[in-house]
Amino acid sequence: MANTQFIGEHLWPGQLGHFFVIVSLVAALFSTFGYLRAVKTEGLADEKTWRIFGRIGFGIHTGAIIAIFIALFYIITNHLFEYHYAWEHSSYDMPSEYLLSCFWEGQQGSFMLWTFWHAVLGLIVMKTAKQLETRTMAIIGIVQVILTTMILGIYLGPDIKIGTTPFMLLRHAMQNAPIFAMPNYLEFVKDGNGLNILLQNYWMVIHPPILFLGFALTLIPFAYCIAALWKGDYQSFIKPTLAWSLACGAILGTGIMMGGAWAYESLNFGGYWAWDPVENASLVPWLTLVAGLHTLLIYRSTKRAFILTSVLLLLTHLLVWYSTFLTRTGILGKTSVHAFTGDGAALTYHLVAVIAFLLLISIVAMGWKWKSLPRIKTEEETLSREFWMFIGAVVLFLASVQISVTTSIPVWSPLAKWITGKEFAPPTDVMSHYNNIQVWVAIIIGMLSAMVLFMKYKHTEGKSLAAKLGGTAAVAGVMTGFIAWGQDITAWQYVIMLFSACYGIVATIYYGVAIQKSKFKKLGPSVGHLGFATVLLGILLSSYNKHAISLNTTGVPFNFKKNTDQETIKENMENVIMFRGIPVAMGNYYATYIGDSDVNGKDKRIYYRVVFERKDSVTKKTLERFVLYPDAFINPKGEQGLSANPSTKHYWDRDIFTYINSATDKSKTDTSTYRSHIVSKPGDSIYLANGFMIFNGFSNEINDKRYVAKDGDLAVKAKLTVHNMQGVKQEINPIYILRDKQYIMQVDDTVLAMGLYARFGALNVHSKDSASIDIQVRQTNPMDDFIVLKALVFPYINVLWIGIVVMVLGFFISLGDVVSSKIGMLKKTTV
């Protein structure tokens, strides 16, 4: 096979891409070595030379990463299916806007995206790190070497594999298949496997780059902390670490909630957060980052909490690698609906080695300087900002521990079983398990995020504090009572959570307006905390009274299996079967399934039209009418089943969220046939299952793009008006064609909403003045055309989305304040 000349292969883009992988690895090694030598020669004449070598190496590394991107993108966009990555993730019929998504759908592409962001951020650090550049860039270089090995794809001996190349040929990936021994095997590769249908969505284009930028940003505080420990400089790292942590908090938080918005708008999870292990794996680093950000503020103002700050910021980046281990090795198994399936034991061992190596660096860095680390032996005052910020950071850390331990059950359960002999399984009711614990985290953090704003570092005067807290608490109590009464929130723990959210909103607004006098540059903390409190309120309002309006009162049994019998019963009661054209009561609405679309071009989804009407109970006058279009892939890629995407009606105070759980496979169930109806004069009627049709005569004026006229044609159309039971009319014109005086051709016309197909069957001339025609009608049996729909109401969900935007804005305002103050100090130093 090695000597076989394969026909039609384009080898040069893969060879070029793999060459640049090698270049990027060597350049990263060279850069790291240069920076390490610069550290070694610090203060000597050679330091500048080695620093320049480090910069040049990193620049070459960045250029090589960009070249790898270009090579792989060329392969994907040109559908070079001789490459396994292009075959596995793309296809000819894929809409062009999703081709970029193919890049990061797979393991190697997402590692490349991560590496690219590190390279971009590294260039910025190189220009801004000043005296910490050599040490910080050495750490970034080490991580870049590690990431580049993930796409290296080389073997050290028969059993040791380092990374997986995205430029592997299809015949190498499937070398045991006989077809790949044939020189012309590409003639039999007609198309690629294509992008996962759940990922064919605009969110897939924008969400992963933002999320991976957030993951990449965790490296910079990590590198600065190691650099500070390494150099023994515990002051100059504060401002850059604070700025990068704020940027990371904003971007990673945005990426996480973009994932929630994606799940809500485009996936049938029935909400925006499901405590899925992949969601948890991205949330936990954000929680530790926010905790570390606040302890860093403590250290900046009081010189306390340096050790905890370092632990949290180092742990944040390690947790990103751990989340990579969880989501890419396949160890989560069936506990996650959207983890990677895994890339064998090689990737598992590779990631474990990486985590162990970075953990070792962190431990050595802290242990080496342990005795000299900044400490203050006296205790903090209870009435001080740093004390309660420290408590909040510990609570966030404990929350991340709880989420991590539960998410990691598939990791540690085999060892626990070996030790104890007991089975440990993930919770069956995942939502309740997490919610019952994390609600108290939300309560504590919601309260603390408002209270600490009124406190001062080191000491706060008690009477003044009590007056401010008491006044805002009274207003929040009234607000809580009003909302709890209006939304019927009665569970005591959620009433407390409601008070916590209301208190956060009231207190942060008061603090920003009355105390900070609305000075924009200083509003970052109050705006960020206001956003967090609003997020808590939005989560509570949208989740507590979330309810289904698609209640199964028909008696039709379903078989939607869930984790518990109780959940299965609930799910089956919240889905309703809808036969075409038959209204079904849903809350204040009557919903009618009126038909679906045909698969059109590259879009393989079927869109189902569901009309919602709300009528006056007395006059029956229609007060509101809208159409939703939930869609689904039926039997995607030849598999049995359905993959659905929701459709939502947005109001200012609620959303009506619908998705398909089952639908007719019309290729198997359409049993209707054409029936003849003879009409002879205008006004003749044909009665239908759900309306009637009136014959309005003939016409030879045909303007129909489906009919292409030829010389000698005798063509005539029937003019028909279709009336449905609601009084809606539609004109249709089936065409009868006599070609060359012997061939009869017909062009049907349809009313899809009624499942109606009409054909001009025959023209019968009885005399010079009389004729009749045969109108053949086929109407799909409504019982052969149905959907099973779930419709949920999310009250006040817009409060959640507004809260997220406000919270992220708070991060950026704070970032702007830190950056501007740093620039101001540089200008003073220059002067």
Side-chain angles (χ1 to χ4, degrees):
M1 188 172 176
N3 297 321
T4 305
Q5 295 295 317
F6 294 96
I7 300 169
E9 288 187 335
H10 301 77
L11 298 180
W12 68 266
Q15 292 169 344
L16 197 60
H18 192 67
F19 168 75
F20 281 113
V21 171
I22 303 297
V23 170
S24 69
L25 177 63
V26 173
L29 285 167
F30 180 78
S31 175
T32 304
F33 178 75
Y35 277 117
L36 288 174
R37 291 296 301 167
V39 173
K40 188 72 174 177
T41 57
E42 193 170 51
L44 302 176
D46 288 345
E47 179 190 356
K48 183 177 180 181
T49 301
W50 286 115
R51 186 193 299 259
I52 292 172
F53 281 163
R55 291 175 177 175
I56 292 172
F58 200 83
I60 295 171
H61 166 74
T62 303
I65 292 295
I66 294 171
I68 298 167
F69 253 87
I70 294 171
L72 185 56
F73 191 63
Y74 177 85
I75 288 170
I76 291 172
T77 54
N78 287 277
H79 304 295
L80 302 184
F81 297 134
E82 56 265 44
Y83 292 93
H84 182 255
Y85 200 87
W87 174 85
E88 187 174 28
H89 301 293
S90 69
S91 59
Y92 283 119
D93 63 355
M94 182 175 298
S96 57
E97 60 266 28
Y98 300 143
L99 283 174
L100 195 59
S101 304
C102 302
F103 193 100
W104 39 73
E105 186 200 17
Q107 300 263 27
Q108 303 95 306
S110 56
F111 275 126
M112 287 173 59
L113 180 62
W114 192 1
T115 310
F116 169 78
W117 282 129
H118 275 176
V120 172
L121 297 174
L123 293 176
I124 299 173
V125 171
M126 189 190 301
K127 298 291 285 186
T128 59
K130 306 300 179 184
Q131 65 265 39
L132 289 177
E133 178 193 343
T134 53
R135 289 171 171 82
T136 306
M137 288 303 299
I139 298 301
I140 293 174
I142 288 171
V143 175
Q144 286 299 83
V145 169
I146 292 170
L147 270 174
T148 307
T149 64
M150 294 292 173
I151 58 171
L152 193 56
I154 64 171
Y155 285 85
L156 301 179
D159 300 320
I160 302 177
K161 179 186 177 186
I162 301 179
T164 301
T165 176
F167 302 107
M168 179 183 291
L169 292 171
L170 184 61
R171 56 182 166 88
H172 289 162
M174 303 181 180
Q175 56 188 334
N176 294 326
I179 187 176
F180 295 110
M182 301 170 60
N184 62 335
Y185 77 90
L186 277 176
E187 294 180 7
F188 303 95
V189 182
K190 301 298 184 183
D191 201 356
N193 193 47
L195 189 68
N196 185 318
I197 55 174
L198 288 176
L199 304 180
Q200 293 185 29
N201 185 277
Y202 71 93
W203 283 107
M204 182 60 182
V205 179
I206 59 176
H207 165 60
I210 299 298
L211 186 65
F212 274 92
L213 176 56
F215 287 156
L217 279 161
T218 65
L219 172 61
I220 312 305
F222 175 89
Y224 268 107
C225 282
I226 296 291
L229 291 164
W230 190 354
K231 186 177 176 64
D233 180 355
Y234 307 122
Q235 185 63 35
S236 60
F237 89 107
I238 295 175
K239 282 197 173 181
T241 304
L242 183 59
W244 284 107
S245 297
L246 285 165
C248 183
I251 303 251
L252 183 55
T254 300
I256 292 168
M257 289 317 300
M258 284 175 72
W262 179 7
Y264 180 72
E265 286 191 13
S266 306
L267 303 175
N268 63 343
F269 292 175
Y272 45 82
W273 195 262
W275 293 109
D276 182 89
V278 171
E279 297 172 333
N280 297 348
S282 60
L283 175 65
V284 168
W286 187 80
L287 292 176
T288 57
L289 173 81
V290 172
L293 171 62
H294 285 81
T295 56
L296 181 60
L297 291 170
I298 294 174
Y299 178 69
R300 183 182 67 169
S301 299
T302 67
K303 296 299 177 281
R304 297 181 184 272
F306 174 83
I307 293 175
L308 181 59
T309 299
S310 299
V311 168
L312 289 170
L313 294 180
L314 294 174
L315 185 61
T316 295
H317 186 63
L318 290 170
L319 283 168
V320 169
W321 279 100
Y322 181 65
S323 72
T324 303
F325 167 78
L326 286 179
T327 57
R328 292 170 184 269
T329 59
I331 198 167
L332 292 176
K334 297 181 179 179
T335 62
S336 174
V337 298
H338 54 295
F340 287 94
T341 56
D343 198 20
L347 180 61
T348 300
Y349 295 137
H350 199 160
L351 287 171
V352 169
V354 170
I355 294 169
F357 176 69
L358 293 177
L359 179 61
L360 180 63
I361 289 178
S362 303
I363 292 173
V364 169
M366 292 202 68
W368 185 30
K369 296 291 182 70
W370 182 257
K371 292 184 179 180
S372 63
L373 296 181
R375 295 177 176 86
I376 294 180
K377 294 182 179 180
T378 59
E379 297 291 331
E380 307 97 324
E381 282 197 26
T382 305
L383 287 182
S384 65
R385 178 178 287 189
E386 63 267 28
F387 177 80
W388 292 105
M389 285 175 67
F390 180 89
I391 296 297
V394 171
V395 170
L396 286 175
F397 173 72
L398 293 176
S400 67
V401 169
Q402 185 272 322
I403 296 170
S404 296
V405 169
T406 303
T407 303
S408 301
I409 287 176
V411 179
W412 57 258
S413 59
L415 178 62
K417 181 181 178 181
W418 181 73
I419 295 172
T420 65
K422 296 180 180 179
E423 291 278 358
F424 292 86
T428 52
D429 188 349
V430 175
M431 295 294 287
S432 295
H433 171 81
Y434 284 105
N435 289 346
N436 291 338
I437 297 172
Q438 295 300 322
V439 63
W440 297 107
V441 174
I443 289 169
I444 295 170
I445 298 301
M447 295 288 291
L448 289 179
S449 65
M451 291 170 56
V452 297
L453 293 176
F454 297 104
M455 297 181 179
K456 296 180 180 179
Y457 287 108
K458 299 181 181 179
H459 175 73
T460 305
E461 199 278 315
K463 290 184 179 180
S464 173
L465 176 65
K468 293 171 184 174
L469 295 182
T472 51
V475 176
V478 174
M479 183 178 174
T480 300
F482 178 76
I483 295 175
W485 171 76
Q487 295 300 305
D488 194 27
I489 299 174
T490 56
W492 64 274
Q493 67 268 39
Y494 291 107
V495 173
I496 297 174
M497 180 179 172
L498 176 60
F499 174 77
S500 176
C502 292
Y503 181 72
I505 292 171
V506 172
T508 52
I509 292 175
Y510 174 78
Y511 179 80
V513 174
I515 297 178
Q516 291 194 315
K517 307 299 182 183
S518 301
K519 295 177 181 177
F520 183 78
K521 285 178 61 176
K522 300 298 180 183
L523 285 178
S526 54
V527 171
H529 291 191
L530 171 63
F532 178 74
T534 307
V535 167
L536 294 185
L537 181 62
I539 291 172
L540 181 59
L541 293 178
S542 63
S543 300
Y544 189 85
N545 283 326
K546 180 182 79 173
H547 61 280
I549 57 175
S550 53
L551 301 179
N552 183 9
T553 59
T554 63
V556 176
F558 304 121
N559 190 31
F560 301 130
K561 292 293 185 182
K562 293 295 181 179
N563 292 327
T564 65
D565 291 341
Q566 184 177 0
E567 287 181 329
T568 298
I569 293 170
K570 183 174 182 290
E571 183 68 14
N572 289 323
M573 288 301 298
E574 292 180 350
N575 282 266
V576 64
I577 190 167
M578 302 179 70
F579 295 103
R580 182 179 46 77
I582 301 176
V584 175
M586 289 192 190
N588 296 327
Y589 299 91
Y590 278 95
T592 308
Y593 163 51
I594 61 171
D596 57 42
S597 67
D598 292 325
V599 174
N600 181 24
K602 292 184 177 182
D603 192 346
K604 301 302 180 184
R605 290 174 291 185
I606 298 176
Y607 293 83
Y608 298 89
R609 294 190 293 275
V610 182
V611 176
F612 283 76
E613 290 186 307
R614 181 167 59 87
K615 296 186 177 184
D616 187 280
S617 58
V618 178
T619 65
K620 304 301 180 184
K621 181 180 178 181
T622 299
L623 302 176
E624 181 185 9
R625 185 180 189 274
F626 60 88
V627 182
L628 293 180
Y629 297 89
D631 65 81
F633 296 86
I634 304 296
N635 301 331
K637 296 184 181 180
E639 301 173 3
Q640 292 297 312
L642 173 147
S643 178
N645 295 305
S647 180
T648 305
K649 174 66 175 178
H650 300 286
Y651 295 89
W652 72 270
D653 62 341
R654 69 191 186 281
D655 278 1
I656 298 178
F657 177 94
T658 65
Y659 60 92
I660 303 293
N661 265 325
S662 183
T664 309
D665 183 354
K666 294 185 179 180
S667 65
K668 300 178 181 178
T669 59
D670 192 352
T671 59
S672 59
T673 59
Y674 280 99
R675 299 178 182 274
S676 293
H677 300 269
I678 305 300
V679 295
S680 58
K681 61 181 183 299
D684 284 353
S685 300
I686 299 171
Y687 293 96
L688 310 169
N690 51 355
F692 60 94
M693 180 190 302
I694 296 178
F695 173 59
N696 298 313
F698 305 103
S699 175
N700 57 8
E701 296 180 1
I702 301 173
N703 184 18
D704 192 317
K705 62 182 179 181
R706 296 170 300 165
Y707 166 58
V708 179
K710 290 189 176 182
D711 292 340
D713 279 0
L714 174 62
V716 63
K717 69 179 182 184
K719 298 192 295 182
L720 303 168
T721 304
V722 179
H723 300 249
N724 68 13
M725 299 300 289
Q726 287 74 41
V728 178
K729 297 187 293 183
Q730 182 173 335
E731 302 292 331
I732 60 174
N733 303 113
I735 305 170
Y736 179 91
I737 306 146
L738 180 61
R739 180 161 290 171
D740 298 331
K741 299 182 179 180
Q742 53 181 324
Y743 300 111
I744 295 175
M745 302 171 61
Q746 293 150 325
V747 178
D748 296 0
D749 209 349
T750 62
V751 181
L752 290 177
M754 299 175 65
L756 175 68
Y757 301 82
R759 174 182 296 168
F760 196 143
L763 176 62
N764 305 308
V765 180
H766 303 297
S767 66
K768 183 179 179 180
D769 300 320
S770 67
S772 62
I773 65 172
D774 176 16
I775 299 295
Q776 297 175 352
V777 176
R778 178 169 72 88
Q779 195 166 16
T780 305
N781 186 339
M783 299 302 174
D784 286 342
D785 188 1
F786 67 87
I787 59 174
V788 176
L789 184 81
K790 185 169 185 176
L792 298 168
V793 175
F794 286 87
Y796 296 101
I797 194 169
N798 287 328
V799 176
L800 170 63
W801 308 130
I802 291 171
I804 292 168
V805 172
V806 173
M807 182 173 66
V808 172
L809 178 62
F811 274 105
F812 281 118
I813 294 174
S814 296
L815 175 61
D817 184 37
V818 171
V819 172
S820 63
S821 64
K822 186 177 180 181
I823 293 173
M825 289 187 63
L826 287 173
K827 287 181 178 179
K828 289 181 181 178
T829 304
T830 304
V831 173

